mmCIF file of all heavy atoms in Angstrom:
data_model
loop_
_atom_site.group_PDB
_atom_site.id
_atom_site.type_symbol
_atom_site.label_atom_id
_atom_site.label_comp_id
_atom_site.label_asym_id
_atom_site.label_seq_id
_atom_site.Cartn_x
_atom_site.Cartn_y
_atom_site.Cartn_z
ATOM 1 N N VAL J 9 80.617 -10.588 97.209
ATOM 2 C CA VAL J 9 79.490 -11.471 97.529
ATOM 3 C C VAL J 9 79.744 -12.809 96.852
ATOM 4 O O VAL J 9 79.545 -12.964 95.645
ATOM 5 C CB VAL J 9 78.155 -10.869 97.049
ATOM 6 C CG1 VAL J 9 76.988 -11.756 97.502
ATOM 7 C CG2 VAL J 9 77.978 -9.444 97.572
ATOM 8 N N HIS J 10 80.211 -13.779 97.629
ATOM 9 C CA HIS J 10 80.537 -15.105 97.097
ATOM 10 C C HIS J 10 79.306 -16.000 97.170
ATOM 11 O O HIS J 10 78.682 -16.143 98.219
ATOM 12 C CB HIS J 10 81.704 -15.706 97.882
ATOM 13 C CG HIS J 10 82.995 -15.013 97.621
ATOM 14 N ND1 HIS J 10 83.969 -15.528 96.790
ATOM 15 C CD2 HIS J 10 83.473 -13.819 98.055
ATOM 16 C CE1 HIS J 10 84.997 -14.695 96.731
ATOM 17 N NE2 HIS J 10 84.721 -13.646 97.492
ATOM 18 N N MET J 11 78.987 -16.613 96.039
ATOM 19 C CA MET J 11 77.763 -17.405 95.917
ATOM 20 C C MET J 11 78.085 -18.809 95.405
ATOM 21 O O MET J 11 79.238 -19.096 95.066
ATOM 22 C CB MET J 11 76.792 -16.675 94.984
ATOM 23 C CG MET J 11 76.281 -15.367 95.565
ATOM 24 S SD MET J 11 75.220 -14.410 94.425
ATOM 25 C CE MET J 11 76.452 -13.717 93.314
ATOM 26 N N PRO J 12 77.092 -19.695 95.349
ATOM 27 C CA PRO J 12 77.341 -21.061 94.882
ATOM 28 C C PRO J 12 77.896 -21.096 93.463
ATOM 29 O O PRO J 12 77.716 -20.166 92.670
ATOM 30 C CB PRO J 12 75.947 -21.707 94.934
ATOM 31 C CG PRO J 12 75.224 -20.937 95.990
ATOM 32 C CD PRO J 12 75.712 -19.523 95.843
ATOM 33 N N LEU J 13 78.581 -22.202 93.159
ATOM 34 C CA LEU J 13 79.126 -22.481 91.834
ATOM 35 C C LEU J 13 80.202 -21.487 91.423
ATOM 36 O O LEU J 13 80.454 -21.273 90.241
ATOM 37 C CB LEU J 13 78.015 -22.511 90.776
ATOM 38 C CG LEU J 13 76.883 -23.502 91.031
ATOM 39 C CD1 LEU J 13 75.851 -23.426 89.934
ATOM 40 C CD2 LEU J 13 77.430 -24.908 91.174
ATOM 41 N N GLY J 14 80.857 -20.885 92.399
ATOM 42 C CA GLY J 14 81.981 -20.010 92.098
ATOM 43 C C GLY J 14 81.607 -18.623 91.631
ATOM 44 O O GLY J 14 82.482 -17.835 91.273
ATOM 45 N N GLN J 15 80.315 -18.283 91.630
ATOM 46 C CA GLN J 15 79.911 -16.949 91.180
ATOM 47 C C GLN J 15 80.259 -15.925 92.246
ATOM 48 O O GLN J 15 80.016 -16.125 93.433
ATOM 49 C CB GLN J 15 78.410 -16.915 90.895
ATOM 50 C CG GLN J 15 77.918 -15.574 90.384
ATOM 51 C CD GLN J 15 76.487 -15.644 89.906
ATOM 52 O OE1 GLN J 15 76.048 -16.657 89.378
ATOM 53 N NE2 GLN J 15 75.734 -14.565 90.094
ATOM 54 N N VAL J 16 80.840 -14.817 91.817
ATOM 55 C CA VAL J 16 81.224 -13.743 92.727
ATOM 56 C C VAL J 16 80.567 -12.446 92.262
ATOM 57 O O VAL J 16 80.775 -11.995 91.137
ATOM 58 C CB VAL J 16 82.750 -13.538 92.769
ATOM 59 C CG1 VAL J 16 83.117 -12.424 93.760
ATOM 60 C CG2 VAL J 16 83.457 -14.840 93.154
ATOM 61 N N GLY J 17 79.750 -11.872 93.114
ATOM 62 C CA GLY J 17 79.173 -10.560 92.871
ATOM 63 C C GLY J 17 79.932 -9.531 93.673
ATOM 64 O O GLY J 17 80.813 -9.859 94.467
ATOM 65 N N ALA J 18 79.594 -8.267 93.489
ATOM 66 C CA ALA J 18 80.277 -7.215 94.233
ATOM 67 C C ALA J 18 79.454 -5.941 94.205
ATOM 68 O O ALA J 18 78.764 -5.653 93.223
ATOM 69 C CB ALA J 18 81.661 -6.942 93.652
ATOM 70 N N VAL J 19 79.538 -5.211 95.297
ATOM 71 C CA VAL J 19 78.993 -3.856 95.341
ATOM 72 C C VAL J 19 80.118 -2.932 95.778
ATOM 73 O O VAL J 19 80.716 -3.126 96.844
ATOM 74 C CB VAL J 19 77.809 -3.739 96.314
ATOM 75 C CG1 VAL J 19 77.305 -2.291 96.344
ATOM 76 C CG2 VAL J 19 76.677 -4.677 95.919
ATOM 77 N N SER J 20 80.411 -1.953 94.935
ATOM 78 C CA SER J 20 81.424 -0.950 95.264
ATOM 79 C C SER J 20 80.721 0.343 95.644
ATOM 80 O O SER J 20 79.822 0.808 94.916
ATOM 81 C CB SER J 20 82.350 -0.703 94.067
ATOM 82 O OG SER J 20 83.069 -1.873 93.735
ATOM 83 N N PHE J 21 81.120 0.906 96.776
ATOM 84 C CA PHE J 21 80.568 2.174 97.231
ATOM 85 C C PHE J 21 81.643 3.239 96.981
ATOM 86 O O PHE J 21 82.730 3.189 97.567
ATOM 87 C CB PHE J 21 80.199 2.094 98.702
ATOM 88 C CG PHE J 21 79.094 1.096 98.974
ATOM 89 C CD1 PHE J 21 79.404 -0.193 99.395
ATOM 90 C CD2 PHE J 21 77.764 1.437 98.798
ATOM 91 C CE1 PHE J 21 78.392 -1.128 99.636
ATOM 92 C CE2 PHE J 21 76.744 0.511 99.035
ATOM 93 C CZ PHE J 21 77.070 -0.763 99.450
ATOM 94 N N LEU J 22 81.324 4.190 96.107
ATOM 95 C CA LEU J 22 82.304 5.160 95.630
ATOM 96 C C LEU J 22 81.979 6.550 96.169
ATOM 97 O O LEU J 22 80.835 7.019 96.025
ATOM 98 C CB LEU J 22 82.294 5.183 94.096
ATOM 99 C CG LEU J 22 82.311 3.818 93.400
ATOM 100 C CD1 LEU J 22 82.207 4.000 91.892
ATOM 101 C CD2 LEU J 22 83.554 3.039 93.781
ATOM 102 N N PRO J 23 82.936 7.230 96.781
ATOM 103 C CA PRO J 23 82.668 8.550 97.352
ATOM 104 C C PRO J 23 82.189 9.540 96.299
ATOM 105 O O PRO J 23 82.726 9.592 95.191
ATOM 106 C CB PRO J 23 84.027 8.971 97.917
ATOM 107 C CG PRO J 23 84.813 7.719 98.071
ATOM 108 C CD PRO J 23 84.336 6.803 96.978
ATOM 109 N N VAL J 24 81.167 10.321 96.657
ATOM 110 C CA VAL J 24 80.712 11.388 95.774
ATOM 111 C C VAL J 24 81.833 12.386 95.548
ATOM 112 O O VAL J 24 81.997 12.920 94.446
ATOM 113 C CB VAL J 24 79.472 12.081 96.374
ATOM 114 C CG1 VAL J 24 79.111 13.328 95.574
ATOM 115 C CG2 VAL J 24 78.289 11.114 96.413
ATOM 116 N N ASP J 25 82.606 12.645 96.599
ATOM 117 C CA ASP J 25 83.807 13.476 96.481
ATOM 118 C C ASP J 25 84.889 12.640 95.809
ATOM 119 O O ASP J 25 85.542 11.815 96.444
ATOM 120 C CB ASP J 25 84.261 13.944 97.858
ATOM 121 C CG ASP J 25 85.522 14.802 97.810
ATOM 122 O OD1 ASP J 25 86.050 15.030 96.700
ATOM 123 O OD2 ASP J 25 85.993 15.224 98.886
ATOM 124 N N THR J 26 85.056 12.827 94.516
ATOM 125 C CA THR J 26 85.963 11.977 93.751
ATOM 126 C C THR J 26 87.426 12.162 94.110
ATOM 127 O O THR J 26 88.273 11.397 93.653
ATOM 128 C CB THR J 26 85.778 12.229 92.242
ATOM 129 O OG1 THR J 26 85.993 13.624 91.970
ATOM 130 C CG2 THR J 26 84.372 11.836 91.799
ATOM 131 N N SER J 27 87.731 13.184 94.917
ATOM 132 C CA SER J 27 89.121 13.375 95.349
ATOM 133 C C SER J 27 89.444 12.573 96.605
ATOM 134 O O SER J 27 90.609 12.484 97.010
ATOM 135 C CB SER J 27 89.398 14.863 95.607
ATOM 136 O OG SER J 27 88.640 15.328 96.719
ATOM 137 N N SER J 28 88.428 11.967 97.226
ATOM 138 C CA SER J 28 88.637 11.216 98.472
ATOM 139 C C SER J 28 89.482 9.977 98.223
ATOM 140 O O SER J 28 89.205 9.194 97.311
ATOM 141 C CB SER J 28 87.298 10.795 99.072
ATOM 142 O OG SER J 28 86.543 11.914 99.459
ATOM 143 N N GLU J 29 90.494 9.797 99.066
ATOM 144 C CA GLU J 29 91.354 8.616 98.960
ATOM 145 C C GLU J 29 91.392 7.801 100.240
ATOM 146 O O GLU J 29 91.626 6.594 100.188
ATOM 147 C CB GLU J 29 92.774 9.039 98.571
ATOM 148 C CG GLU J 29 92.868 9.643 97.173
ATOM 149 C CD GLU J 29 94.304 9.869 96.736
ATOM 150 O OE1 GLU J 29 95.223 9.455 97.480
ATOM 151 O OE2 GLU J 29 94.512 10.442 95.660
ATOM 152 N N ASN J 30 91.155 8.430 101.375
ATOM 153 C CA ASN J 30 91.207 7.722 102.656
ATOM 154 C C ASN J 30 89.789 7.465 103.155
ATOM 155 O O ASN J 30 89.080 8.386 103.560
ATOM 156 C CB ASN J 30 91.991 8.542 103.687
ATOM 157 C CG ASN J 30 92.261 7.745 104.962
ATOM 158 O OD1 ASN J 30 91.519 6.830 105.308
ATOM 159 N ND2 ASN J 30 93.325 8.096 105.654
ATOM 160 N N LEU J 31 89.384 6.204 103.134
ATOM 161 C CA LEU J 31 88.029 5.832 103.537
ATOM 162 C C LEU J 31 88.013 5.096 104.872
ATOM 163 O O LEU J 31 87.048 4.397 105.189
ATOM 164 C CB LEU J 31 87.384 4.947 102.463
ATOM 165 C CG LEU J 31 87.352 5.499 101.038
ATOM 166 C CD1 LEU J 31 86.580 4.549 100.121
ATOM 167 C CD2 LEU J 31 86.753 6.885 100.993
ATOM 168 N N SER J 32 89.053 5.263 105.659
ATOM 169 C CA SER J 32 89.172 4.495 106.898
ATOM 170 C C SER J 32 88.043 4.795 107.883
ATOM 171 O O SER J 32 87.477 3.876 108.490
ATOM 172 C CB SER J 32 90.528 4.759 107.557
ATOM 173 O OG SER J 32 90.712 6.142 107.812
ATOM 174 N N GLU J 33 87.689 6.072 108.043
ATOM 175 C CA GLU J 33 86.625 6.420 108.981
ATOM 176 C C GLU J 33 85.275 5.925 108.474
ATOM 177 O O GLU J 33 84.463 5.392 109.247
ATOM 178 C CB GLU J 33 86.592 7.930 109.204
ATOM 179 C CG GLU J 33 87.813 8.463 109.939
ATOM 180 C CD GLU J 33 87.700 9.946 110.248
ATOM 181 O OE1 GLU J 33 86.629 10.537 109.956
ATOM 182 O OE2 GLU J 33 88.664 10.517 110.777
ATOM 183 N N MET J 34 85.017 6.091 107.187
ATOM 184 C CA MET J 34 83.781 5.589 106.600
ATOM 185 C C MET J 34 83.690 4.079 106.766
ATOM 186 O O MET J 34 82.636 3.535 107.122
ATOM 187 C CB MET J 34 83.718 5.951 105.116
ATOM 188 C CG MET J 34 82.473 5.440 104.410
ATOM 189 S SD MET J 34 82.600 5.548 102.603
ATOM 190 C CE MET J 34 82.888 7.285 102.385
ATOM 191 N N PHE J 35 84.783 3.400 106.519
ATOM 192 C CA PHE J 35 84.800 1.939 106.618
ATOM 193 C C PHE J 35 84.493 1.494 108.043
ATOM 194 O O PHE J 35 83.676 0.594 108.264
ATOM 195 C CB PHE J 35 86.161 1.414 106.179
ATOM 196 C CG PHE J 35 86.252 -0.090 106.150
ATOM 197 C CD1 PHE J 35 85.822 -0.798 105.039
ATOM 198 C CD2 PHE J 35 86.752 -0.796 107.237
ATOM 199 C CE1 PHE J 35 85.883 -2.182 105.011
ATOM 200 C CE2 PHE J 35 86.827 -2.178 107.218
ATOM 201 C CZ PHE J 35 86.387 -2.875 106.099
ATOM 202 N N ALA J 36 85.134 2.118 109.014
ATOM 203 C CA ALA J 36 84.924 1.738 110.412
ATOM 204 C C ALA J 36 83.480 1.946 110.841
ATOM 205 O O ALA J 36 82.922 1.163 111.613
ATOM 206 C CB ALA J 36 85.862 2.545 111.311
ATOM 207 N N ALA J 37 82.856 2.995 110.328
ATOM 208 C CA ALA J 37 81.504 3.334 110.753
ATOM 209 C C ALA J 37 80.422 2.546 110.024
ATOM 210 O O ALA J 37 79.389 2.207 110.613
ATOM 211 C CB ALA J 37 81.268 4.833 110.574
ATOM 212 N N TYR J 38 80.633 2.243 108.748
ATOM 213 C CA TYR J 38 79.522 1.756 107.931
ATOM 214 C C TYR J 38 79.751 0.431 107.210
ATOM 215 O O TYR J 38 78.807 -0.097 106.605
ATOM 216 C CB TYR J 38 79.160 2.813 106.880
ATOM 217 C CG TYR J 38 78.778 4.144 107.480
ATOM 218 C CD1 TYR J 38 79.593 5.262 107.298
ATOM 219 C CD2 TYR J 38 77.614 4.287 108.217
ATOM 220 C CE1 TYR J 38 79.240 6.490 107.837
ATOM 221 C CE2 TYR J 38 77.255 5.509 108.769
ATOM 222 C CZ TYR J 38 78.080 6.611 108.579
ATOM 223 O OH TYR J 38 77.734 7.817 109.120
ATOM 224 N N ALA J 39 80.949 -0.117 107.240
ATOM 225 C CA ALA J 39 81.232 -1.311 106.430
ATOM 226 C C ALA J 39 80.337 -2.492 106.788
ATOM 227 O O ALA J 39 79.860 -3.212 105.900
ATOM 228 C CB ALA J 39 82.705 -1.705 106.572
ATOM 229 N N ASP J 40 80.092 -2.709 108.063
ATOM 230 C CA ASP J 40 79.281 -3.863 108.462
ATOM 231 C C ASP J 40 77.857 -3.763 107.927
ATOM 232 O O ASP J 40 77.317 -4.729 107.370
ATOM 233 C CB ASP J 40 79.260 -3.988 109.988
ATOM 234 C CG ASP J 40 80.584 -4.468 110.560
ATOM 235 O OD1 ASP J 40 81.395 -5.003 109.777
ATOM 236 O OD2 ASP J 40 80.797 -4.304 111.776
ATOM 237 N N VAL J 41 77.253 -2.592 108.106
ATOM 238 C CA VAL J 41 75.869 -2.417 107.657
ATOM 239 C C VAL J 41 75.788 -2.453 106.134
ATOM 240 O O VAL J 41 74.914 -3.115 105.564
ATOM 241 C CB VAL J 41 75.290 -1.100 108.193
ATOM 242 C CG1 VAL J 41 73.908 -0.845 107.601
ATOM 243 C CG2 VAL J 41 75.204 -1.134 109.709
ATOM 244 N N LEU J 42 76.694 -1.737 105.463
ATOM 245 C CA LEU J 42 76.698 -1.754 104.002
ATOM 246 C C LEU J 42 76.927 -3.167 103.474
ATOM 247 O O LEU J 42 76.376 -3.549 102.442
ATOM 248 C CB LEU J 42 77.760 -0.796 103.464
ATOM 249 C CG LEU J 42 77.470 0.695 103.636
ATOM 250 C CD1 LEU J 42 78.659 1.520 103.153
ATOM 251 C CD2 LEU J 42 76.197 1.102 102.898
ATOM 252 N N GLY J 43 77.746 -3.932 104.186
ATOM 253 C CA GLY J 43 77.997 -5.308 103.781
ATOM 254 C C GLY J 43 76.732 -6.155 103.827
ATOM 255 O O GLY J 43 76.460 -6.944 102.915
ATOM 256 N N ILE J 44 75.933 -5.990 104.874
ATOM 257 C CA ILE J 44 74.680 -6.739 104.999
ATOM 258 C C ILE J 44 73.711 -6.338 103.900
ATOM 259 O O ILE J 44 73.093 -7.180 103.236
ATOM 260 C CB ILE J 44 74.062 -6.509 106.389
ATOM 261 C CG1 ILE J 44 74.946 -7.153 107.468
ATOM 262 C CG2 ILE J 44 72.645 -7.065 106.447
ATOM 263 C CD1 ILE J 44 74.529 -6.816 108.880
ATOM 264 N N TYR J 45 73.568 -5.042 103.666
ATOM 265 C CA TYR J 45 72.654 -4.568 102.632
ATOM 266 C C TYR J 45 73.102 -5.035 101.240
ATOM 267 O O TYR J 45 72.280 -5.452 100.411
ATOM 268 C CB TYR J 45 72.576 -3.045 102.656
ATOM 269 C CG TYR J 45 71.884 -2.465 103.870
ATOM 270 C CD1 TYR J 45 72.108 -1.142 104.261
ATOM 271 C CD2 TYR J 45 70.982 -3.214 104.630
ATOM 272 C CE1 TYR J 45 71.473 -0.587 105.360
ATOM 273 C CE2 TYR J 45 70.352 -2.676 105.738
ATOM 274 C CZ TYR J 45 70.598 -1.356 106.101
ATOM 275 O OH TYR J 45 69.972 -0.814 107.191
ATOM 276 N N ALA J 46 74.413 -4.937 100.978
ATOM 277 C CA ALA J 46 74.931 -5.316 99.655
ATOM 278 C C ALA J 46 74.706 -6.790 99.385
ATOM 279 O O ALA J 46 74.286 -7.183 98.281
ATOM 280 C CB ALA J 46 76.418 -4.977 99.560
ATOM 281 N N ARG J 47 74.969 -7.627 100.369
ATOM 282 C CA ARG J 47 74.789 -9.066 100.179
ATOM 283 C C ARG J 47 73.314 -9.416 99.997
ATOM 284 O O ARG J 47 72.968 -10.310 99.221
ATOM 285 C CB ARG J 47 75.390 -9.821 101.361
ATOM 286 C CG ARG J 47 76.919 -9.742 101.393
ATOM 287 C CD ARG J 47 77.514 -10.638 102.476
ATOM 288 N NE ARG J 47 78.956 -10.588 102.452
ATOM 289 C CZ ARG J 47 79.710 -10.028 103.403
ATOM 290 N NH1 ARG J 47 79.125 -9.464 104.457
ATOM 291 N NH2 ARG J 47 81.025 -10.013 103.308
ATOM 292 N N ARG J 48 72.455 -8.733 100.712
ATOM 293 C CA ARG J 48 71.016 -8.958 100.544
ATOM 294 C C ARG J 48 70.585 -8.599 99.119
ATOM 295 O O ARG J 48 69.846 -9.358 98.468
ATOM 296 C CB ARG J 48 70.260 -8.081 101.550
ATOM 297 C CG ARG J 48 68.749 -8.074 101.402
ATOM 298 C CD ARG J 48 68.127 -9.373 101.841
ATOM 299 N NE ARG J 48 66.721 -9.182 102.204
ATOM 300 C CZ ARG J 48 65.953 -10.119 102.712
ATOM 301 N NH1 ARG J 48 66.434 -11.329 102.933
ATOM 302 N NH2 ARG J 48 64.700 -9.871 103.017
ATOM 303 N N PHE J 49 71.048 -7.456 98.627
ATOM 304 C CA PHE J 49 70.672 -6.977 97.304
ATOM 305 C C PHE J 49 71.178 -7.916 96.209
ATOM 306 O O PHE J 49 70.409 -8.359 95.344
ATOM 307 C CB PHE J 49 71.243 -5.569 97.104
ATOM 308 C CG PHE J 49 70.967 -4.974 95.757
ATOM 309 C CD1 PHE J 49 69.694 -4.568 95.399
ATOM 310 C CD2 PHE J 49 71.992 -4.803 94.843
ATOM 311 C CE1 PHE J 49 69.433 -4.006 94.151
ATOM 312 C CE2 PHE J 49 71.754 -4.248 93.592
ATOM 313 C CZ PHE J 49 70.463 -3.853 93.246
ATOM 314 N N ILE J 50 72.463 -8.252 96.247
ATOM 315 C CA ILE J 50 73.042 -9.106 95.207
ATOM 316 C C ILE J 50 72.494 -10.523 95.288
ATOM 317 O O ILE J 50 72.151 -11.136 94.269
ATOM 318 C CB ILE J 50 74.579 -9.115 95.311
ATOM 319 C CG1 ILE J 50 75.151 -7.723 95.023
ATOM 320 C CG2 ILE J 50 75.170 -10.149 94.360
ATOM 321 C CD1 ILE J 50 74.923 -7.236 93.610
ATOM 322 N N GLY J 51 72.418 -11.066 96.494
ATOM 323 C CA GLY J 51 71.928 -12.434 96.642
ATOM 324 C C GLY J 51 70.494 -12.578 96.177
ATOM 325 O O GLY J 51 70.138 -13.552 95.502
ATOM 326 N N SER J 52 69.647 -11.594 96.495
ATOM 327 C CA SER J 52 68.253 -11.640 96.082
ATOM 328 C C SER J 52 68.132 -11.534 94.564
ATOM 329 O O SER J 52 67.364 -12.262 93.937
ATOM 330 C CB SER J 52 67.482 -10.495 96.756
ATOM 331 O OG SER J 52 66.109 -10.558 96.450
ATOM 332 N N TYR J 53 68.925 -10.657 93.965
ATOM 333 C CA TYR J 53 68.902 -10.498 92.508
ATOM 334 C C TYR J 53 69.368 -11.784 91.828
ATOM 335 O O TYR J 53 68.765 -12.229 90.839
ATOM 336 C CB TYR J 53 69.802 -9.337 92.101
ATOM 337 C CG TYR J 53 69.849 -9.075 90.607
ATOM 338 C CD1 TYR J 53 68.942 -8.202 90.014
ATOM 339 C CD2 TYR J 53 70.797 -9.691 89.792
ATOM 340 C CE1 TYR J 53 68.968 -7.967 88.643
ATOM 341 C CE2 TYR J 53 70.831 -9.467 88.431
ATOM 342 C CZ TYR J 53 69.918 -8.593 87.859
ATOM 343 O OH TYR J 53 69.961 -8.366 86.509
#
């Protein structure tokens, strides 16, 4: 989440299954929506 004055925020979504390494299907299905929610949350804060 890139903001004014060079500030960079971030939201990392970490699998509950800690052995998971391939997130390609999750990314394809949910990255856009999670991206909108994450930016809303960080930007508002």
Side-chain angles (χ1 to χ4, degrees):
V9 185
H10 290 258
M11 293 176 284
L13 303 179
Q15 182 171 326
V16 181
V19 179
S20 297
F21 296 97
L22 314 176
V24 171
D25 179 0
T26 57
S27 66
S28 296
E29 294 188 6
N30 189 334
L31 305 185
S32 57
E33 292 185 4
M34 179 193 302
F35 184 85
Y38 302 113
D40 288 343
V41 174
L42 289 176
I44 292 172
Y45 291 159
R47 291 187 178 111
R48 173 72 157 185
F49 178 71
I50 295 295
S52 184
Y53 180 90

